[in-house]
Amino acid sequence: SVVRREGEVELALRLVTLSDGDADWTQTFHLPEEAFLDALDETTWAVARAMGAHVGEGPRARLVPDHTSSFPAYMDFLRGEHAARRGTREALGSAIEAYHRALLLDPDFSSAWAALATAYVLLPQAGGPPIKNVLPYVQAALDRAMAPGRETAAGYAASAYLKWAYLWDLPAADADFQRAIEMDPDNPLSRAWRAQLLATGRRWEEALAEANRAVDLDPRSPSAHLTRGLVLMSAGSEDAVAAFQRALELAPDIHPAAYVLGGLLA
């Protein structure tokens, strides 16, 4: 459970065994809104320790990126991320509004700029305005997200998608995708998008490997299953139908999956 009180967040966590539902570990944390992400990083390490990971006493890597010092900005960023996962025009519109609120509170929030660029770059393919209408917003957000010394994996991924899907600069797009994956190898979105780029070049085995990796990283991502279906369909595999159906189970209003599945069945 998560309860927000004045000046702090109470976070109650429980780890359970899936087979019988027994609680193996329970703990409550009180995280101050000031330096919230520092406290959340310590909480994350406590969970890792409870799950059996070796956690030394010396300096250790940060698990939670130090996105922003503004707690309200971080909350709006998370609201945007939650909405953007659905991938529909309405959801992306809601995500864009949330990211703008976050950036009004913290104009130097690089992750929010990258997320805003991503939402805008996806909007045309979700039934929104054509790319020429949103391109200035994409480029402005990328300029802020990719300022020297502040580059993020999400920013590279958004830049790569723009170059691949709209500008048709495939070598530059793949270079950006590979840089995004190098910086954050466990991000399913970068993997799914690179799979589409590889399929554009008919590199089926590589494309399917990336698409499968995206699904493994986030089995409940409609876009990951949609991408896997597109790769399988392009490669002539009948397994594409099941992938599109799974995407629609997770997000019934993700219209690209319905459109492509209808055409495939016809």
Side-chain angles (χ1 to χ4, degrees):
S1 66
V2 181
V3 179
R4 185 181 180 187
R5 297 191 172 88
E6 187 174 352
E8 74 168 23
V9 175
E10 181 183 283
L11 185 64
L13 302 177
R14 176 180 298 142
L15 297 177
V16 301
T17 303
L18 286 177
S19 58
D20 53 24
D22 290 342
D24 295 322
W25 176 84
T26 302
Q27 192 164 339
T28 300
F29 299 86
H30 295 272
L31 312 181
E33 289 189 11
E34 184 177 352
F36 170 77
L37 293 177
D38 292 334
L40 188 59
D41 193 68
E42 289 297 320
T43 302
T44 306
W45 275 107
V47 174
R49 187 183 294 110
M51 294 180 70
H54 174 71
V55 180
E57 296 302 323
R60 52 183 182 242
R62 191 176 182 100
L63 297 179
V64 179
D66 189 13
H67 294 280
T68 177
S69 59
S70 170
F71 180 80
Y74 186 65
M75 296 303 291
D76 278 322
F77 169 72
L78 292 182
R79 291 186 183 99
E81 295 289 87
H82 179 70
R85 278 177 57 88
R86 295 183 62 200
T88 63
R89 179 178 60 187
E90 293 76 14
L92 289 171
S94 297
I96 288 169
E97 291 177 5
Y99 296 140
H100 275 295
R101 290 196 301 269
L103 290 164
L104 285 171
L105 294 167
D106 183 358
D108 295 324
F109 195 164
S110 293
S111 297
W113 283 114
L116 181 63
T118 300
Y120 273 127
V121 85
L122 290 173
L123 197 55
Q125 297 196 14
I131 186 61
K132 66 178 182 179
N133 291 12
V134 298
L135 185 57
Y137 304 112
V138 176
Q139 292 177 326
L142 283 175
D143 286 344
R144 296 297 297 270
M146 304 297 285
R150 301 178 65 86
E151 301 92 339
T152 64
Y156 274 109
S159 173
Y161 193 92
L162 175 67
K163 293 172 182 175
W164 164 65
Y166 304 112
L167 305 181
W168 285 94
D169 188 348
L170 302 190
D174 199 24
D176 279 357
F177 275 136
Q178 292 188 58
R179 180 67 176 131
I181 292 170
E182 179 184 326
M183 293 177 70
D184 185 4
D186 294 330
N187 187 321
L189 194 58
S190 298
R191 300 276 186 179
W193 286 354
R194 184 166 188 257
Q196 294 182 43
L197 179 143
L198 293 169
T200 303
R202 297 178 179 272
R203 296 159 62 181
W204 307 123
E205 290 187 10
E206 295 173 80
L208 186 57
E210 289 284 34
N212 287 339
R213 181 63 176 148
V215 170
D216 290 342
L217 288 167
D218 191 355
R220 296 193 60 79
S221 167
S223 61
H225 288 280
L226 170 59
T227 295
R228 186 172 181 272
L230 290 170
V231 172
L232 289 167
M233 181 182 72
S234 300
S237 172
E238 295 181 357
D239 293 337
V241 170
F244 291 136
Q245 289 173 337
R246 181 56 178 153
L248 287 166
E249 287 173 9
L250 293 167
D253 50 357
I254 186 169
H255 80 86
Y259 176 80
V260 177
L261 177 60
L264 181 61
L265 294 173

